[in-house]
Amino acid sequence: MSTEINYLVNGPSDAAITLIMAHGAGAAMDSDWMNDVSNQIAEAGIKTVRFEFPYMVERRSTGKKRPPNTQKILLGTWKKVASDWKEQAPWF
Protein backbone atom coordinates (compact mmCIF):
# COMPACT_ATOMS: atom_id res chain seq x y z
CA MET A 1 0.00 0.00 0.00
CA SER A 2 1.22 3.46 -0.87
CA THR A 3 2.01 5.51 2.21
CA GLU A 4 0.93 8.83 0.67
CA ILE A 5 -2.75 9.65 0.55
CA ASN A 6 -4.17 12.56 -1.42
CA TYR A 7 -6.85 14.57 0.34
CA LEU A 8 -9.55 16.98 -0.75
CA VAL A 9 -10.26 19.52 2.00
CA ASN A 10 -13.21 21.91 2.17
CA GLY A 11 -14.25 24.36 4.84
CA PRO A 12 -12.56 26.73 7.23
CA SER A 13 -8.98 25.98 8.19
CA ASP A 14 -9.75 26.92 11.79
CA ALA A 15 -12.90 24.78 12.08
CA ALA A 16 -13.58 23.33 15.50
CA ILE A 17 -14.60 19.98 13.98
CA THR A 18 -13.27 17.97 11.04
CA LEU A 19 -15.35 15.34 9.26
CA ILE A 20 -13.33 12.70 7.41
CA MET A 21 -15.24 11.09 4.54
CA ALA A 22 -14.42 8.00 2.50
CA HIS A 23 -16.03 7.27 -0.86
CA GLY A 24 -18.35 4.35 -1.50
CA ALA A 25 -17.53 1.31 -3.61
CA GLY A 26 -18.73 2.83 -6.87
CA ALA A 27 -17.77 6.50 -6.87
CA ALA A 28 -14.61 8.52 -6.30
CA MET A 29 -13.99 11.15 -3.62
CA ASP A 30 -14.78 13.90 -6.13
CA SER A 31 -18.06 12.49 -7.40
CA ASP A 32 -20.91 14.98 -7.75
CA TRP A 33 -22.56 13.63 -4.60
CA MET A 34 -19.37 13.80 -2.50
CA ASN A 35 -18.64 17.31 -3.79
CA ASP A 36 -22.15 18.49 -2.97
CA VAL A 37 -22.25 16.99 0.53
CA SER A 38 -18.74 18.21 1.37
CA ASN A 39 -19.55 21.73 0.23
CA GLN A 40 -22.79 21.84 2.23
CA ILE A 41 -21.07 20.60 5.38
CA ALA A 42 -18.22 23.08 4.87
CA GLU A 43 -20.75 25.91 4.51
CA ALA A 44 -21.95 24.99 8.01
CA GLY A 45 -18.43 25.67 9.33
CA ILE A 46 -17.19 22.09 9.53
CA LYS A 47 -13.98 21.14 7.74
CA THR A 48 -14.42 18.13 5.46
CA VAL A 49 -11.60 15.86 4.41
CA ARG A 50 -11.99 13.27 1.65
CA PHE A 51 -9.64 10.49 0.57
CA GLU A 52 -9.63 7.42 -1.64
CA PHE A 53 -8.78 3.81 -0.93
CA PRO A 54 -6.02 2.24 -3.05
CA TYR A 55 -8.41 0.44 -5.44
CA MET A 56 -10.06 3.75 -6.33
CA VAL A 57 -6.68 5.45 -6.77
CA GLU A 58 -5.76 2.67 -9.21
CA ARG A 59 -9.10 3.03 -10.99
CA ARG A 60 -8.45 6.76 -11.36
CA SER A 61 -5.07 6.11 -13.01
CA THR A 62 -6.03 3.13 -15.20
CA GLY A 63 -9.74 3.72 -15.83
CA LYS A 64 -10.45 0.07 -14.97
CA LYS A 65 -13.04 -0.77 -12.33
CA ARG A 66 -11.81 -2.97 -9.52
CA PRO A 67 -13.47 -4.49 -6.49
CA PRO A 68 -12.68 -2.94 -3.11
CA ASN A 69 -9.42 -3.86 -1.43
CA THR A 70 -9.22 -6.49 1.27
CA GLN A 71 -10.31 -5.57 4.79
CA LYS A 72 -6.66 -5.44 5.87
CA ILE A 73 -5.84 -2.78 3.26
CA LEU A 74 -9.02 -0.79 3.91
CA LEU A 75 -8.36 -0.70 7.66
CA GLY A 76 -4.68 0.10 7.08
CA THR A 77 -5.72 3.04 4.92
CA TRP A 78 -8.07 4.31 7.63
CA LYS A 79 -5.25 4.01 10.19
CA LYS A 80 -2.98 6.07 7.94
CA VAL A 81 -5.71 8.71 7.54
CA ALA A 82 -6.19 8.82 11.32
CA SER A 83 -2.46 9.27 11.79
CA ASP A 84 -2.26 12.02 9.15
CA TRP A 85 -5.08 13.98 10.78
CA LYS A 86 -4.41 13.27 14.48
CA GLU A 87 -3.45 16.91 15.09
CA GLN A 88 -6.84 18.07 13.75
CA ALA A 89 -8.85 16.53 16.59
CA PRO A 90 -11.69 16.39 17.16
CA TRP A 91 -12.54 14.66 13.92
CA PHE A 92 -15.23 12.20 13.03
Side-chain angles (χ1 to χ4, degrees), residues 5-57:
I5 298 175
N6 293 318
Y7 297 100
L8 290 178
V9 180
N10 296 81
S13 60
D14 61 347
I17 298 172
T18 300
L19 176 65
I20 300 177
M21 301 170 60
H23 59 83
M29 69 178 170
D30 58 354
S31 67
D32 290 342
W33 187 88
M34 291 285 282
N35 286 337
D36 187 44
V37 169
S38 294
N39 288 330
Q40 289 183 43
I41 293 169
E43 287 173 8
I46 298 170
K47 182 189 303 182
T48 63
V49 174
R50 292 175 277 163
F51 72 95
E52 291 179 323
F53 292 105
Y55 76 93
M56 190 61 70
V57 172

Side-chain angles (χ1 to χ4, degrees), residues 35-92:
N35 286 337
D36 187 44
V37 169
S38 294
N39 288 330
Q40 289 183 43
I41 293 169
E43 287 173 8
I46 298 170
K47 182 189 303 182
T48 63
V49 174
R50 292 175 277 163
F51 72 95
E52 291 179 323
F53 292 105
Y55 76 93
M56 190 61 70
V57 172
E58 185 176 337
R59 176 180 170 181
R60 187 179 290 278
S61 67
T62 66
K64 295 181 181 179
K65 289 187 177 184
R66 298 179 33 93
N69 299 109
T70 63
Q71 181 180 11
K72 180 179 179 180
I73 292 172
L74 296 174
L75 290 175
T77 303
W78 266 115
K79 287 177 183 178
K80 171 70 171 131
V81 170
S83 175
D84 287 352
W85 290 90
K86 66 183 172 191
E87 301 300 322
Q88 297 291 317
W91 57 258
F92 301 92

